[in-house]
Amino acid sequence: MNEIKKLYVLEWRGPYNSLDELYADSSTIDGSIYLITGKEKYERGNEHVKYIGITERDPAVRLRDRDHKEKQGKIQRKKYWVGSFSKVSNRNTRAHVELIETLFIHYLFIQDVRIINKDKLKKKPSVPLTVINRWILKCDDCHKVNKSSRLADLPDVILYDGE
């Protein structure tokens, strides 16, 4: 078992029912990772994580891009969540955010979750890391005790030891 090299704490804010609602909340501007939950047209069962993305811009602006609207068109009953690094995490750089996105996509793929973006499956995370997910309701700063069933596929703690 390898030594954990990086620890990240992500504070997820949501759920947002629409892009307009997300755009109106100024607290999401510093978000660097986002996810969309829902399900595809002919998919049965509960909604779950369908897309994980990263951005250096305001997530609400990124999600309004034309290429993103096409991807979102496949998802029904959409809910949006925006993740920001807490102050105790390693620095928020593009490389750190890509490392976390790669970890999440690999983890969901192993769990047989059908996500739309699979481009990060070509390589595994480069270092052992741990990600702690903290879910916060969009309306206030209290911790969300009961996680939505839509988020059940993404655990509160993911530990990747490089294996």
Side-chain angles (χ1 to χ4, degrees), residues 71-90:
K71 294 172 189 172
Q72 293 178 54
K74 300 175 183 178
I75 306 169
Q76 298 180 339
R77 300 184 196 163
K78 290 185 277 289
K79 300 274 187 199
Y80 302 91
W81 291 83
V82 177
S84 303
F85 286 91
S86 78
K87 292 179 175 80
V88 299
S89 293
N90 289 323

Side-chain angles (χ1 to χ4, degrees), residues 15 40 46 52 86 97 99 111 114 117 138 155:
E40 293 180 66
N46 293 332
I52 296 173
S86 78
V97 180
L99 185 66
Q111 299 299 315
R114 289 187 52 201
N117 57 329
K138 67 179 180 223

Side-chain angles (χ1 to χ4, degrees), residues 86-124:
S86 78
K87 292 179 175 80
V88 299
S89 293
N90 289 323
R91 286 187 44 180
N92 177 6
T93 64
R94 177 81 181 189
H96 293 270
V97 180
E98 285 190 15
L99 185 66
I100 293 170
E101 180 190 30
T102 302
L103 175 69
F104 285 170
I105 290 172
H106 271 275
Y107 179 83
L108 291 169
F109 180 76
I110 290 169
Q111 299 299 315
D112 288 330
V113 177
R114 289 187 52 201
I115 57 174
I116 293 172
N117 57 329
K118 298 177 184 172
D119 55 333
K120 298 281 181 169
L121 286 174
K122 294 175 184 158
K123 62 179 186 173
K124 293 182 180 180

